[in-house]
Amino acid sequence: MKSYNIPFDQFAAGPLDKEQTMFVTVVQAIRKADAAKFKSVWTSPNQMKGLGTTIITLADGSPENWIRQARSIFNFDNLKVIAQVQLGLRTMFIWDSMTKDGARRNAFYVGFDKNNQLRLSAVSSSIPVASMVLNAFYAAQTEPDAYKPLPNINLRYEYPIPLDGNAGTSAHPVFLEFDGSPMDFPLGDEKVKPPTSLLEFFRNAALAHQKGKDDLYASSFTPKSADKVRQWLASMKSRRRLANQPPQMPSTLGNVKFVLNAEPVFLVFEAPTAGNDWTPKDLTYSYILHEGGGYKIANYFYSTDLDDFLQNPSFFDKGILKSALTTPPSK
């Protein structure tokens, strides 16, 4: 990564390589509403290689419309270049611009399109890893105190993301580093003591759902998610009444296989059966928020760029969650 934090015009006046020249070309084209110049380097996100599960398109995908959309949101006459990030074969350019709501951070990237031509495009959910990197830069802008770099961090798992079809073997590999604990904790067997307060909470929520204690189950979620849960529970009751069916609750509860620790956020991965014979497709996961001394389940019926990443086996192989630790845990 290269950090700049300089005005765009200062960046553009320096010596530029091919990718940097493409970035400068597209910004200058947007400034001047020069569709021909813009088109010379620009390709829509849905025509780029390495797409995730989300495809970004515009009803009108013409260069003129992309320029209009960009100019309607950002002030390209007052742009600051923040950083340049290498993601495998892609080069991201992170920049800040003034908007009607204040300074806002965004990015373009240079990569290969479906015709194997080097082109520039917008960072979006079409490329989940690039989008996650942009989100990290955005968080550092909006909440700098909460997102300061942590010294001497001990992350026990390291996963090379296969950005270009190869796991960590490209010129600029990207690694997902995280902490967590493998296990085989049965949610439905109350004779087995939960090893942590988080799993005690998670079991209680699962049992409340299994036993039809809807109010208790919904209260296990954060407020926005709880509203969605109540709507879902009400719709299920309505369908059963119309079909004259008895209440249907989960007959069995699964086993927690891994707890990913990103305090104050945890990801709890579970599979339907005991043992270590589960496959990545068997795993589901829940977000748990640790806040105010307690826990709440979050992101029910919501999806983020992280979900696009975790749910795409070409990006994230959940099999790593039962692999040996890369480094020993700290004592």
Side-chain angles (χ1 to χ4, degrees), residues 200-246:
E200 181 179 11
F201 157 80
F202 194 62
R203 166 184 276 172
N204 289 338
L207 289 172
H209 181 40
Q210 185 186 48
K211 296 174 182 179
K213 298 179 179 179
D214 291 352
D215 290 340
L216 181 59
Y217 178 60
S219 70
S220 302
F221 290 78
T222 54
K224 287 185 178 181
S225 290
D227 289 342
K228 293 291 186 181
V229 170
R230 292 187 182 98
Q231 292 172 22
W232 172 72
L233 291 170
S235 69
M236 295 301 292
K237 284 183 178 179
S238 176
R239 291 176 187 177
R240 287 193 295 268
R241 282 197 300 269
L242 289 173
N244 196 26
Q245 293 179 344

Side-chain angles (χ1 to χ4, degrees), residues 183-201 203:
M183 62 186 65
D184 192 24
F185 172 62
L187 288 170
D189 188 352
E190 296 183 72
K191 294 180 182 179
V192 179
K193 183 179 179 181
T196 64
S197 57
L198 180 150
L199 289 173
E200 181 179 11
F201 157 80
R203 166 184 276 172

Side-chain angles (χ1 to χ4, degrees), residues 111-123:
F112 289 94
D113 67 9
K114 292 181 178 180
N115 295 319
N116 214 34
Q117 299 296 311
L118 197 64
R119 304 288 286 174
L120 183 140
S121 193
V123 169

Side-chain angles (χ1 to χ4, degrees), residues 77-134:
D77 291 327
N78 184 18
L79 211 70
K80 179 182 283 188
V81 181
I82 303 301
Q84 178 177 331
V85 181
Q86 298 297 140
L87 300 174
L89 298 177
R90 299 179 184 87
T91 303
M92 277 181 68
F93 295 94
I94 316 292
W95 44 267
D96 283 359
S97 169
M98 291 304 297
T99 71
K100 63 180 180 180
D101 298 317
R104 181 172 166 183
R105 187 156 290 180
N106 212 305
F108 292 136
Y109 79 96
V110 175
F112 289 94
D113 67 9
K114 292 181 178 180
N115 295 319
N116 214 34
Q117 299 296 311
L118 197 64
R119 304 288 286 174
L120 183 140
S121 193
V123 169
S124 68
S125 296
S126 298
I127 308 291
V129 178
S131 190
M132 289 193 297
V133 170
L134 175 57

Side-chain angles (χ1 to χ4, degrees), residues 253-265:
L253 298 177
N255 283 42
V256 174
K257 302 299 182 181
F258 194 90
V259 176
L260 191 155
N261 181 354
E263 176 74 49
V265 177

